[in-house]
Amino acid sequence: MMKVLENNALESESIYIFREVVAQFEKPVLLFSGGKDSITLVRLAQKAFFPAKIPFPLLHVDTGHNFPETIAFRDKLVEELGLDLIVRYVQDNIDAGKVKEESGRYASRNMLQTETLLDAIEEFGFDACIGGARRDEEKARAKERIFSVRDDFGQWDEKNQRPEVFDMLNGDIELGQNVRVFPISNWTELDVWSYIQKEGIEIPSIYFAHKRDVFERDGLIWSAHDEYVFREKDEVITQKIVRFRTVGDMSCTAAVESNAFTIDNVVKEIRESSISERGARIDDKRSEAAMEKRKQQGYF
């Protein structure tokens, strides 16, 4: 009973934030990755504006190295709910010479998303980008306000953010600025999974235990998709029963061994886990301040 009460309070706060976004901004957009957090945002947005249609589009910055299960789920969700989806591709910026493809053992396109996102914000004139970041994910996330102001270069200055007391959200921005909005900032990973469980929300199959060809590196389990994921000749492919706790670029997102085949099993596993979900994201391990530096450059 207590968990249901907590979820109701979190849901109400998130719905309030969504309504404030639409009231205070002219061109909001929901940043959608096909992961559990952005899927949860879609459900919350539905509730915030029911019975009307969600009054803003979804934007997916596609690295080209996404898990196929995630893309298939994205397209299915958009069609079923009649949502407006905008997709912009990192590959286009690579082809145009605006960003350079990484190579080698830890190559990833995750860092290259920033330029594509900033281009899309400028192209469409978005003044509020809604995303599923949570304060419990990573220490740089914990510094975020719910309305996080970015300058006209998309940069984040953690020292130049507004106080948010008594849930008062100030969306007044200057010309060229935009705001990143985090409606589930106060949720934890367990809160998200418990909400998905309670609401019966469909999620990509990749979040549940399944048999997959993988290889191990640095104590982590990687999907053996040689077109996207660099693999040394001596890194042997095996089959394991795994699932993914977080969904990002295939080349920087590791799996975990798991027998959680159902949502109830997943919630139980998360409840008992002592390791952060982002422990399987190699892009966060490049340096102690990796996430903070990316955010200062304009990353979500």
mmCIF file with all atom_site columns, all heavy atoms in Angstrom, residues 134-158:
data_model
loop_
_atom_site.group_PDB
_atom_site.id
_atom_site.type_symbol
_atom_site.label_atom_id
_atom_site.label_alt_id
_atom_site.label_comp_id
_atom_site.label_asym_id
_atom_site.label_entity_id
_atom_site.label_seq_id
_atom_site.pdbx_PDB_ins_code
_atom_site.Cartn_x
_atom_site.Cartn_y
_atom_site.Cartn_z
_atom_site.occupancy
_atom_site.B_iso_or_equiv
_atom_site.pdbx_formal_charge
_atom_site.auth_seq_id
_atom_site.auth_comp_id
_atom_site.auth_asym_id
_atom_site.auth_atom_id
_atom_site.pdbx_PDB_model_num
ATOM 1   N N   . ARG A 1 134 ? 16.933 11.330 -14.176 1.00 0.00 ? 134 ARG A N   1
ATOM 2   C CA  . ARG A 1 134 ? 16.558 11.277 -12.767 1.00 0.00 ? 134 ARG A CA  1
ATOM 3   C C   . ARG A 1 134 ? 17.775 11.611 -11.907 1.00 0.00 ? 134 ARG A C   1
ATOM 4   O O   . ARG A 1 134 ? 18.897 11.281 -12.253 1.00 0.00 ? 134 ARG A O   1
ATOM 5   C CB  . ARG A 1 134 ? 16.044 9.880  -12.402 1.00 0.00 ? 134 ARG A CB  1
ATOM 6   C CG  . ARG A 1 134 ? 14.942 9.349  -13.290 1.00 0.00 ? 134 ARG A CG  1
ATOM 7   C CD  . ARG A 1 134 ? 14.417 8.025  -12.728 1.00 0.00 ? 134 ARG A CD  1
ATOM 8   N NE  . ARG A 1 134 ? 15.482 7.183  -12.218 1.00 0.00 ? 134 ARG A NE  1
ATOM 9   C CZ  . ARG A 1 134 ? 16.168 6.301  -12.960 1.00 0.00 ? 134 ARG A CZ  1
ATOM 10  N NH1 . ARG A 1 134 ? 15.891 6.133  -14.243 1.00 0.00 ? 134 ARG A NH1 1
ATOM 11  N NH2 . ARG A 1 134 ? 17.129 5.580  -12.425 1.00 0.00 ? 134 ARG A NH2 1
ATOM 12  N N   . ARG A 1 135 ? 17.546 12.213 -10.766 1.00 0.00 ? 135 ARG A N   1
ATOM 13  C CA  . ARG A 1 135 ? 18.648 12.638 -9.905  1.00 0.00 ? 135 ARG A CA  1
ATOM 14  C C   . ARG A 1 135 ? 19.432 11.466 -9.324  1.00 0.00 ? 135 ARG A C   1
ATOM 15  O O   . ARG A 1 135 ? 20.591 11.622 -8.949  1.00 0.00 ? 135 ARG A O   1
ATOM 16  C CB  . ARG A 1 135 ? 18.116 13.515 -8.765  1.00 0.00 ? 135 ARG A CB  1
ATOM 17  C CG  . ARG A 1 135 ? 17.620 14.877 -9.243  1.00 0.00 ? 135 ARG A CG  1
ATOM 18  C CD  . ARG A 1 135 ? 17.286 15.804 -8.087  1.00 0.00 ? 135 ARG A CD  1
ATOM 19  N NE  . ARG A 1 135 ? 16.900 17.123 -8.576  1.00 0.00 ? 135 ARG A NE  1
ATOM 20  C CZ  . ARG A 1 135 ? 15.735 17.705 -8.331  1.00 0.00 ? 135 ARG A CZ  1
ATOM 21  N NH1 . ARG A 1 135 ? 14.819 17.076 -7.617  1.00 0.00 ? 135 ARG A NH1 1
ATOM 22  N NH2 . ARG A 1 135 ? 15.475 18.901 -8.811  1.00 0.00 ? 135 ARG A NH2 1
ATOM 23  N N   . ASP A 1 136 ? 18.829 10.300 -9.230  1.00 0.00 ? 136 ASP A N   1
ATOM 24  C CA  . ASP A 1 136 ? 19.524 9.159  -8.635  1.00 0.00 ? 136 ASP A CA  1
ATOM 25  C C   . ASP A 1 136 ? 20.469 8.464  -9.611  1.00 0.00 ? 136 ASP A C   1
ATOM 26  O O   . ASP A 1 136 ? 21.246 7.598  -9.218  1.00 0.00 ? 136 ASP A O   1
ATOM 27  C CB  . ASP A 1 136 ? 18.518 8.137  -8.091  1.00 0.00 ? 136 ASP A CB  1
ATOM 28  C CG  . ASP A 1 136 ? 17.859 7.314  -9.195  1.00 0.00 ? 136 ASP A CG  1
ATOM 29  O OD1 . ASP A 1 136 ? 17.490 7.912  -10.232 1.00 0.00 ? 136 ASP A OD1 1
ATOM 30  O OD2 . ASP A 1 136 ? 17.713 6.099  -9.027  1.00 0.00 ? 136 ASP A OD2 1
ATOM 31  N N   . GLU A 1 137 ? 20.434 8.847  -10.895 1.00 0.00 ? 137 GLU A N   1
ATOM 32  C CA  . GLU A 1 137 ? 21.211 8.144  -11.902 1.00 0.00 ? 137 GLU A CA  1
ATOM 33  C C   . GLU A 1 137 ? 22.713 8.355  -11.759 1.00 0.00 ? 137 GLU A C   1
ATOM 34  O O   . GLU A 1 137 ? 23.508 7.422  -11.887 1.00 0.00 ? 137 GLU A O   1
ATOM 35  C CB  . GLU A 1 137 ? 20.810 8.614  -13.306 1.00 0.00 ? 137 GLU A CB  1
ATOM 36  C CG  . GLU A 1 137 ? 19.478 8.137  -13.788 1.00 0.00 ? 137 GLU A CG  1
ATOM 37  C CD  . GLU A 1 137 ? 19.225 8.632  -15.202 1.00 0.00 ? 137 GLU A CD  1
ATOM 38  O OE1 . GLU A 1 137 ? 18.776 9.769  -15.377 1.00 0.00 ? 137 GLU A OE1 1
ATOM 39  O OE2 . GLU A 1 137 ? 19.510 7.865  -16.132 1.00 0.00 ? 137 GLU A OE2 1
ATOM 40  N N   . GLU A 1 138 ? 23.114 9.610  -11.529 1.00 0.00 ? 138 GLU A N   1
ATOM 41  C CA  . GLU A 1 138 ? 24.524 9.964  -11.621 1.00 0.00 ? 138 GLU A CA  1
ATOM 42  C C   . GLU A 1 138 ? 24.711 11.300 -10.930 1.00 0.00 ? 138 GLU A C   1
ATOM 43  O O   . GLU A 1 138 ? 23.776 12.098 -10.854 1.00 0.00 ? 138 GLU A O   1
ATOM 44  C CB  . GLU A 1 138 ? 24.894 10.036 -13.116 1.00 0.00 ? 138 GLU A CB  1
ATOM 45  C CG  . GLU A 1 138 ? 26.362 9.896  -13.439 1.00 0.00 ? 138 GLU A CG  1
ATOM 46  C CD  . GLU A 1 138 ? 27.069 11.250 -13.435 1.00 0.00 ? 138 GLU A CD  1
ATOM 47  O OE1 . GLU A 1 138 ? 26.373 12.275 -13.457 1.00 0.00 ? 138 GLU A OE1 1
ATOM 48  O OE2 . GLU A 1 138 ? 28.303 11.257 -13.400 1.00 0.00 ? 138 GLU A OE2 1
ATOM 49  N N   . LYS A 1 139 ? 25.913 11.556 -10.390 1.00 0.00 ? 139 LYS A N   1
ATOM 50  C CA  . LYS A 1 139 ? 26.093 12.742 -9.552  1.00 0.00 ? 139 LYS A CA  1
ATOM 51  C C   . LYS A 1 139 ? 25.850 14.057 -10.292 1.00 0.00 ? 139 LYS A C   1
ATOM 52  O O   . LYS A 1 139 ? 25.398 15.037 -9.678  1.00 0.00 ? 139 LYS A O   1
ATOM 53  C CB  . LYS A 1 139 ? 27.482 12.722 -8.918  1.00 0.00 ? 139 LYS A CB  1
ATOM 54  C CG  . LYS A 1 139 ? 28.638 12.670 -9.887  1.00 0.00 ? 139 LYS A CG  1
ATOM 55  C CD  . LYS A 1 139 ? 29.946 12.484 -9.147  1.00 0.00 ? 139 LYS A CD  1
ATOM 56  C CE  . LYS A 1 139 ? 31.123 12.377 -10.094 1.00 0.00 ? 139 LYS A CE  1
ATOM 57  N NZ  . LYS A 1 139 ? 32.388 12.133 -9.357  1.00 0.00 ? 139 LYS A NZ  1
ATOM 58  N N   . ALA A 1 140 ? 26.162 14.107 -11.593 1.00 0.00 ? 140 ALA A N   1
ATOM 59  C CA  . ALA A 1 140 ? 25.881 15.335 -12.342 1.00 0.00 ? 140 ALA A CA  1
ATOM 60  C C   . ALA A 1 140 ? 24.380 15.547 -12.482 1.00 0.00 ? 140 ALA A C   1
ATOM 61  O O   . ALA A 1 140 ? 23.892 16.682 -12.485 1.00 0.00 ? 140 ALA A O   1
ATOM 62  C CB  . ALA A 1 140 ? 26.539 15.281 -13.719 1.00 0.00 ? 140 ALA A CB  1
ATOM 63  N N   . ARG A 1 141 ? 23.612 14.445 -12.614 1.00 0.00 ? 141 ARG A N   1
ATOM 64  C CA  . ARG A 1 141 ? 22.162 14.557 -12.688 1.00 0.00 ? 141 ARG A CA  1
ATOM 65  C C   . ARG A 1 141 ? 21.589 15.127 -11.389 1.00 0.00 ? 141 ARG A C   1
ATOM 66  O O   . ARG A 1 141 ? 20.578 15.820 -11.394 1.00 0.00 ? 141 ARG A O   1
ATOM 67  C CB  . ARG A 1 141 ? 21.540 13.175 -12.926 1.00 0.00 ? 141 ARG A CB  1
ATOM 68  C CG  . ARG A 1 141 ? 21.960 12.469 -14.208 1.00 0.00 ? 141 ARG A CG  1
ATOM 69  C CD  . ARG A 1 141 ? 21.385 13.133 -15.423 1.00 0.00 ? 141 ARG A CD  1
ATOM 70  N NE  . ARG A 1 141 ? 21.364 12.240 -16.582 1.00 0.00 ? 141 ARG A NE  1
ATOM 71  C CZ  . ARG A 1 141 ? 21.274 12.641 -17.823 1.00 0.00 ? 141 ARG A CZ  1
ATOM 72  N NH1 . ARG A 1 141 ? 21.203 13.934 -18.098 1.00 0.00 ? 141 ARG A NH1 1
ATOM 73  N NH2 . ARG A 1 141 ? 21.247 11.780 -18.817 1.00 0.00 ? 141 ARG A NH2 1
ATOM 74  N N   . ALA A 1 142 ? 22.245 14.817 -10.270 1.00 0.00 ? 142 ALA A N   1
ATOM 75  C CA  . ALA A 1 142 ? 21.723 15.248 -8.973  1.00 0.00 ? 142 ALA A CA  1
ATOM 76  C C   . ALA A 1 142 ? 21.766 16.765 -8.810  1.00 0.00 ? 142 ALA A C   1
ATOM 77  O O   . ALA A 1 142 ? 21.072 17.318 -7.958  1.00 0.00 ? 142 ALA A O   1
ATOM 78  C CB  . ALA A 1 142 ? 22.514 14.570 -7.853  1.00 0.00 ? 142 ALA A CB  1
ATOM 79  N N   . LYS A 1 143 ? 22.566 17.456 -9.626  1.00 0.00 ? 143 LYS A N   1
ATOM 80  C CA  . LYS A 1 143 ? 22.661 18.908 -9.550  1.00 0.00 ? 143 LYS A CA  1
ATOM 81  C C   . LYS A 1 143 ? 21.559 19.611 -10.330 1.00 0.00 ? 143 LYS A C   1
ATOM 82  O O   . LYS A 1 143 ? 21.411 20.831 -10.229 1.00 0.00 ? 143 LYS A O   1
ATOM 83  C CB  . LYS A 1 143 ? 24.019 19.370 -10.095 1.00 0.00 ? 143 LYS A CB  1
ATOM 84  C CG  . LYS A 1 143 ? 25.217 18.851 -9.326  1.00 0.00 ? 143 LYS A CG  1
ATOM 85  C CD  . LYS A 1 143 ? 26.503 19.341 -9.976  1.00 0.00 ? 143 LYS A CD  1
ATOM 86  C CE  . LYS A 1 143 ? 27.726 18.815 -9.268  1.00 0.00 ? 143 LYS A CE  1
ATOM 87  N NZ  . LYS A 1 143 ? 28.976 19.289 -9.906  1.00 0.00 ? 143 LYS A NZ  1
ATOM 88  N N   . GLU A 1 144 ? 20.816 18.870 -11.122 1.00 0.00 ? 144 GLU A N   1
ATOM 89  C CA  . GLU A 1 144 ? 19.843 19.470 -12.030 1.00 0.00 ? 144 GLU A CA  1
ATOM 90  C C   . GLU A 1 144 ? 18.626 20.024 -11.301 1.00 0.00 ? 144 GLU A C   1
ATOM 91  O O   . GLU A 1 144 ? 18.155 19.459 -10.313 1.00 0.00 ? 144 GLU A O   1
ATOM 92  C CB  . GLU A 1 144 ? 19.339 18.429 -13.039 1.00 0.00 ? 144 GLU A CB  1
ATOM 93  C CG  . GLU A 1 144 ? 20.357 18.063 -14.099 1.00 0.00 ? 144 GLU A CG  1
ATOM 94  C CD  . GLU A 1 144 ? 20.410 19.079 -15.225 1.00 0.00 ? 144 GLU A CD  1
ATOM 95  O OE1 . GLU A 1 144 ? 19.938 20.207 -15.048 1.00 0.00 ? 144 GLU A OE1 1
ATOM 96  O OE2 . GLU A 1 144 ? 20.941 18.721 -16.288 1.00 0.00 ? 144 GLU A OE2 1
ATOM 97  N N   . ARG A 1 145 ? 18.108 21.128 -11.820 1.00 0.00 ? 145 ARG A N   1
ATOM 98  C CA  . ARG A 1 145 ? 16.771 21.586 -11.467 1.00 0.00 ? 145 ARG A CA  1
ATOM 99  C C   . ARG A 1 145 ? 15.765 20.859 -12.367 1.00 0.00 ? 145 ARG A C   1
ATOM 100 O O   . ARG A 1 145 ? 16.135 20.240 -13.368 1.00 0.00 ? 145 ARG A O   1
ATOM 101 C CB  . ARG A 1 145 ? 16.634 23.096 -11.698 1.00 0.00 ? 145 ARG A CB  1
ATOM 102 C CG  . ARG A 1 145 ? 17.622 23.926 -10.912 1.00 0.00 ? 145 ARG A CG  1
ATOM 103 C CD  . ARG A 1 145 ? 17.322 23.885 -9.411  1.00 0.00 ? 145 ARG A CD  1
ATOM 104 N NE  . ARG A 1 145 ? 18.055 24.926 -8.709  1.00 0.00 ? 145 ARG A NE  1
ATOM 105 C CZ  . ARG A 1 145 ? 19.236 24.750 -8.122  1.00 0.00 ? 145 ARG A CZ  1
ATOM 106 N NH1 . ARG A 1 145 ? 19.821 23.562 -8.180  1.00 0.00 ? 145 ARG A NH1 1
ATOM 107 N NH2 . ARG A 1 145 ? 19.829 25.743 -7.482  1.00 0.00 ? 145 ARG A NH2 1
ATOM 108 N N   . ILE A 1 146 ? 14.495 20.944 -12.030 1.00 0.00 ? 146 ILE A N   1
ATOM 109 C CA  . ILE A 1 146 ? 13.455 20.376 -12.895 1.00 0.00 ? 146 ILE A CA  1
ATOM 110 C C   . ILE A 1 146 ? 13.367 21.176 -14.186 1.00 0.00 ? 146 ILE A C   1
ATOM 111 O O   . ILE A 1 146 ? 13.245 20.618 -15.272 1.00 0.00 ? 146 ILE A O   1
ATOM 112 C CB  . ILE A 1 146 ? 12.111 20.318 -12.145 1.00 0.00 ? 146 ILE A CB  1
ATOM 113 C CG1 . ILE A 1 146 ? 12.198 19.260 -11.040 1.00 0.00 ? 146 ILE A CG1 1
ATOM 114 C CG2 . ILE A 1 146 ? 10.973 19.990 -13.115 1.00 0.00 ? 146 ILE A CG2 1
ATOM 115 C CD1 . ILE A 1 146 ? 11.003 19.208 -10.128 1.00 0.00 ? 146 ILE A CD1 1
ATOM 116 N N   . PHE A 1 147 ? 13.416 22.513 -14.082 1.00 0.00 ? 147 PHE A N   1
ATOM 117 C CA  . PHE A 1 147 ? 13.560 23.381 -15.252 1.00 0.00 ? 147 PHE A CA  1
ATOM 118 C C   . PHE A 1 147 ? 15.033 23.796 -15.301 1.00 0.00 ? 147 PHE A C   1
ATOM 119 O O   . PHE A 1 147 ? 15.476 24.660 -14.538 1.00 0.00 ? 147 PHE A O   1
ATOM 120 C CB  . PHE A 1 147 ? 12.684 24.634 -15.116 1.00 0.00 ? 147 PHE A CB  1
ATOM 121 C CG  . PHE A 1 147 ? 11.246 24.449 -15.515 1.00 0.00 ? 147 PHE A CG  1
ATOM 122 C CD1 . PHE A 1 147 ? 10.695 23.186 -15.693 1.00 0.00 ? 147 PHE A CD1 1
ATOM 123 C CD2 . PHE A 1 147 ? 10.429 25.559 -15.726 1.00 0.00 ? 147 PHE A CD2 1
ATOM 124 C CE1 . PHE A 1 147 ? 9.354  23.034 -16.054 1.00 0.00 ? 147 PHE A CE1 1
ATOM 125 C CE2 . PHE A 1 147 ? 9.091  25.407 -16.086 1.00 0.00 ? 147 PHE A CE2 1
ATOM 126 C CZ  . PHE A 1 147 ? 8.553  24.141 -16.248 1.00 0.00 ? 147 PHE A CZ  1
ATOM 127 N N   . SER A 1 148 ? 15.800 23.177 -16.189 1.00 0.00 ? 148 SER A N   1
ATOM 128 C CA  . SER A 1 148 ? 17.234 23.395 -16.261 1.00 0.00 ? 148 SER A CA  1
ATOM 129 C C   . SER A 1 148 ? 17.544 24.298 -17.453 1.00 0.00 ? 148 SER A C   1
ATOM 130 O O   . SER A 1 148 ? 17.408 23.889 -18.603 1.00 0.00 ? 148 SER A O   1
ATOM 131 C CB  . SER A 1 148 ? 17.957 22.053 -16.406 1.00 0.00 ? 148 SER A CB  1
ATOM 132 O OG  . SER A 1 148 ? 19.345 22.222 -16.502 1.00 0.00 ? 148 SER A OG  1
ATOM 133 N N   . VAL A 1 149 ? 17.967 25.524 -17.173 1.00 0.00 ? 149 VAL A N   1
ATOM 134 C CA  . VAL A 1 149 ? 18.172 26.524 -18.220 1.00 0.00 ? 149 VAL A CA  1
ATOM 135 C C   . VAL A 1 149 ? 19.483 26.259 -18.972 1.00 0.00 ? 149 VAL A C   1
ATOM 136 O O   . VAL A 1 149 ? 20.521 26.002 -18.358 1.00 0.00 ? 149 VAL A O   1
ATOM 137 C CB  . VAL A 1 149 ? 18.188 27.941 -17.628 1.00 0.00 ? 149 VAL A CB  1
ATOM 138 C CG1 . VAL A 1 149 ? 18.405 28.980 -18.720 1.00 0.00 ? 149 VAL A CG1 1
ATOM 139 C CG2 . VAL A 1 149 ? 16.886 28.216 -16.879 1.00 0.00 ? 149 VAL A CG2 1
ATOM 140 N N   . ARG A 1 150 ? 19.422 26.335 -20.307 1.00 0.00 ? 150 ARG A N   1
ATOM 141 C CA  . ARG A 1 150 ? 20.611 26.224 -21.160 1.00 0.00 ? 150 ARG A CA  1
ATOM 142 C C   . ARG A 1 150 ? 20.760 27.525 -21.952 1.00 0.00 ? 150 ARG A C   1
ATOM 143 O O   . ARG A 1 150 ? 19.766 28.148 -22.330 1.00 0.00 ? 150 ARG A O   1
ATOM 144 C CB  . ARG A 1 150 ? 20.464 25.045 -22.124 1.00 0.00 ? 150 ARG A CB  1
ATOM 145 C CG  . ARG A 1 150 ? 20.135 23.720 -21.424 1.00 0.00 ? 150 ARG A CG  1
ATOM 146 C CD  . ARG A 1 150 ? 21.234 23.297 -20.455 1.00 0.00 ? 150 ARG A CD  1
ATOM 147 N NE  . ARG A 1 150 ? 20.862 22.115 -19.705 1.00 0.00 ? 150 ARG A NE  1
ATOM 148 C CZ  . ARG A 1 150 ? 21.265 20.873 -20.016 1.00 0.00 ? 150 ARG A CZ  1
ATOM 149 N NH1 . ARG A 1 150 ? 22.017 20.688 -21.086 1.00 0.00 ? 150 ARG A NH1 1
ATOM 150 N NH2 . ARG A 1 150 ? 20.902 19.851 -19.273 1.00 0.00 ? 150 ARG A NH2 1
ATOM 151 N N   . ASP A 1 151 ? 22.019 27.891 -22.220 1.00 0.00 ? 151 ASP A N   1
ATOM 152 C CA  . ASP A 1 151 ? 22.249 29.136 -22.940 1.00 0.00 ? 151 ASP A CA  1
ATOM 153 C C   . ASP A 1 151 ? 22.036 28.955 -24.440 1.00 0.00 ? 151 ASP A C   1
ATOM 154 O O   . ASP A 1 151 ? 21.618 27.889 -24.900 1.00 0.00 ? 151 ASP A O   1
ATOM 155 C CB  . ASP A 1 151 ? 23.646 29.702 -22.639 1.00 0.00 ? 151 ASP A CB  1
ATOM 156 C CG  . ASP A 1 151 ? 24.786 28.817 -23.162 1.00 0.00 ? 151 ASP A CG  1
ATOM 157 O OD1 . ASP A 1 151 ? 24.546 27.975 -24.057 1.00 0.00 ? 151 ASP A OD1 1
ATOM 158 O OD2 . ASP A 1 151 ? 25.919 28.985 -22.685 1.00 0.00 ? 151 ASP A OD2 1
ATOM 159 N N   . ASP A 1 152 ? 22.326 30.002 -25.218 1.00 0.00 ? 152 ASP A N   1
ATOM 160 C CA  . ASP A 1 152 ? 22.029 29.935 -26.646 1.00 0.00 ? 152 ASP A CA  1
ATOM 161 C C   . ASP A 1 152 ? 22.972 29.012 -27.415 1.00 0.00 ? 152 ASP A C   1
ATOM 162 O O   . ASP A 1 152 ? 22.803 28.809 -28.614 1.00 0.00 ? 152 ASP A O   1
ATOM 163 C CB  . ASP A 1 152 ? 22.023 31.334 -27.281 1.00 0.00 ? 152 ASP A CB  1
ATOM 164 C CG  . ASP A 1 152 ? 23.273 32.132 -26.970 1.00 0.00 ? 152 ASP A CG  1
ATOM 165 O OD1 . ASP A 1 152 ? 24.141 31.620 -26.243 1.00 0.00 ? 152 ASP A OD1 1
ATOM 166 O OD2 . ASP A 1 152 ? 23.379 33.268 -27.459 1.00 0.00 ? 152 ASP A OD2 1
ATOM 167 N N   . PHE A 1 153 ? 23.967 28.437 -26.709 1.00 0.00 ? 153 PHE A N   1
ATOM 168 C CA  . PHE A 1 153 ? 24.813 27.415 -27.302 1.00 0.00 ? 153 PHE A CA  1
ATOM 169 C C   . PHE A 1 153 ? 24.443 26.023 -26.771 1.00 0.00 ? 153 PHE A C   1
ATOM 170 O O   . PHE A 1 153 ? 25.142 25.046 -27.023 1.00 0.00 ? 153 PHE A O   1
ATOM 171 C CB  . PHE A 1 153 ? 26.289 27.694 -27.009 1.00 0.00 ? 153 PHE A CB  1
ATOM 172 C CG  . PHE A 1 153 ? 26.798 28.955 -27.644 1.00 0.00 ? 153 PHE A CG  1
ATOM 173 C CD1 . PHE A 1 153 ? 26.962 30.099 -26.881 1.00 0.00 ? 153 PHE A CD1 1
ATOM 174 C CD2 . PHE A 1 153 ? 27.094 29.008 -29.004 1.00 0.00 ? 153 PHE A CD2 1
ATOM 175 C CE1 . PHE A 1 153 ? 27.425 31.279 -27.457 1.00 0.00 ? 153 PHE A CE1 1
ATOM 176 C CE2 . PHE A 1 153 ? 27.553 30.179 -29.588 1.00 0.00 ? 153 PHE A CE2 1
ATOM 177 C CZ  . PHE A 1 153 ? 27.718 31.317 -28.815 1.00 0.00 ? 153 PHE A CZ  1
ATOM 178 N N   . GLY A 1 154 ? 23.344 25.943 -26.003 1.00 0.00 ? 154 GLY A N   1
ATOM 179 C CA  . GLY A 1 154 ? 22.904 24.681 -25.440 1.00 0.00 ? 154 GLY A CA  1
ATOM 180 C C   . GLY A 1 154 ? 23.671 24.252 -24.218 1.00 0.00 ? 154 GLY A C   1
ATOM 181 O O   . GLY A 1 154 ? 23.503 23.138 -23.728 1.00 0.00 ? 154 GLY A O   1
ATOM 182 N N   . GLN A 1 155 ? 24.516 25.136 -23.680 1.00 0.00 ? 155 GLN A N   1
ATOM 183 C CA  . GLN A 1 155 ? 25.390 24.759 -22.582 1.00 0.00 ? 155 GLN A CA  1
ATOM 184 C C   . GLN A 1 155 ? 24.714 24.907 -21.229 1.00 0.00 ? 155 GLN A C   1
ATOM 185 O O   . GLN A 1 155 ? 23.865 25.770 -21.035 1.00 0.00 ? 155 GLN A O   1
ATOM 186 C CB  . GLN A 1 155 ? 26.669 25.608 -22.626 1.00 0.00 ? 155 GLN A CB  1
ATOM 187 C CG  . GLN A 1 155 ? 27.489 25.391 -23.886 1.00 0.00 ? 155 GLN A CG  1
ATOM 188 C CD  . GLN A 1 155 ? 28.646 26.368 -23.993 1.00 0.00 ? 155 GLN A CD  1
ATOM 189 O OE1 . GLN A 1 155 ? 28.529 27.539 -23.627 1.00 0.00 ? 155 GLN A OE1 1
ATOM 190 N NE2 . GLN A 1 155 ? 29.768 25.903 -24.501 1.00 0.00 ? 155 GLN A NE2 1
ATOM 191 N N   . TRP A 1 156 ? 25.138 24.072 -20.313 1.00 0.00 ? 156 TRP A N   1
ATOM 192 C CA  . TRP A 1 156 ? 24.575 24.035 -18.957 1.00 0.00 ? 156 TRP A CA  1
ATOM 193 C C   . TRP A 1 156 ? 25.606 24.566 -17.975 1.00 0.00 ? 156 TRP A C   1
ATOM 194 O O   . TRP A 1 156 ? 26.760 24.125 -17.971 1.00 0.00 ? 156 TRP A O   1
ATOM 195 C CB  . TRP A 1 156 ? 24.207 22.593 -18.609 1.00 0.00 ? 156 TRP A CB  1
ATOM 196 C CG  . TRP A 1 156 ? 23.791 22.346 -17.191 1.00 0.00 ? 156 TRP A CG  1
ATOM 197 C CD1 . TRP A 1 156 ? 22.656 22.787 -16.584 1.00 0.00 ? 156 TRP A CD1 1
ATOM 198 C CD2 . TRP A 1 156 ? 24.486 21.559 -16.203 1.00 0.00 ? 156 TRP A CD2 1
ATOM 199 N NE1 . TRP A 1 156 ? 22.585 22.330 -15.283 1.00 0.00 ? 156 TRP A NE1 1
ATOM 200 C CE2 . TRP A 1 156 ? 23.705 21.574 -15.027 1.00 0.00 ? 156 TRP A CE2 1
ATOM 201 C CE3 . TRP A 1 156 ? 25.678 20.845 -16.215 1.00 0.00 ? 156 TRP A CE3 1
ATOM 202 C CZ2 . TRP A 1 156 ? 24.077 20.894 -13.879 1.00 0.00 ? 156 TRP A CZ2 1
ATOM 203 C CZ3 . TRP A 1 156 ? 26.060 20.169 -15.055 1.00 0.00 ? 156 TRP A CZ3 1
ATOM 204 C CH2 . TRP A 1 156 ? 25.266 20.197 -13.909 1.00 0.00 ? 156 TRP A CH2 1
ATOM 205 N N   . ASP A 1 157 ? 25.197 25.512 -17.163 1.00 0.00 ? 157 ASP A N   1
ATOM 206 C CA  . ASP A 1 157 ? 26.052 26.032 -16.101 1.00 0.00 ? 157 ASP A CA  1
ATOM 207 C C   . ASP A 1 157 ? 25.357 25.741 -14.783 1.00 0.00 ? 157 ASP A C   1
ATOM 208 O O   . ASP A 1 157 ? 24.353 26.368 -14.447 1.00 0.00 ? 157 ASP A O   1
ATOM 209 C CB  . ASP A 1 157 ? 26.267 27.537 -16.282 1.00 0.00 ? 157 ASP A CB  1
ATOM 210 C CG  . ASP A 1 157 ? 27.161 28.138 -15.188 1.00 0.00 ? 157 ASP A CG  1
ATOM 211 O OD1 . ASP A 1 157 ? 27.597 27.378 -14.299 1.00 0.00 ? 157 ASP A OD1 1
ATOM 212 O OD2 . ASP A 1 157 ? 27.393 29.359 -15.226 1.00 0.00 ? 157 ASP A OD2 1
ATOM 213 N N   . GLU A 1 158 ? 25.912 24.778 -14.041 1.00 0.00 ? 158 GLU A N   1
ATOM 214 C CA  . GLU A 1 158 ? 25.243 24.353 -12.801 1.00 0.00 ? 158 GLU A CA  1
ATOM 215 C C   . GLU A 1 158 ? 25.194 25.464 -11.759 1.00 0.00 ? 158 GLU A C   1
ATOM 216 O O   . GLU A 1 158 ? 24.377 25.411 -10.824 1.00 0.00 ? 158 GLU A O   1
ATOM 217 C CB  . GLU A 1 158 ? 25.935 23.111 -12.216 1.00 0.00 ? 158 GLU A CB  1
ATOM 218 C CG  . GLU A 1 158 ? 27.264 23.347 -11.515 1.00 0.00 ? 158 GLU A CG  1
ATOM 219 C CD  . GLU A 1 158 ? 28.442 23.469 -12.481 1.00 0.00 ? 158 GLU A CD  1
ATOM 220 O OE1 . GLU A 1 158 ? 28.216 23.536 -13.702 1.00 0.00 ? 158 GLU A OE1 1
ATOM 221 O OE2 . GLU A 1 158 ? 29.591 23.505 -11.997 1.00 0.00 ? 158 GLU A OE2 1
#
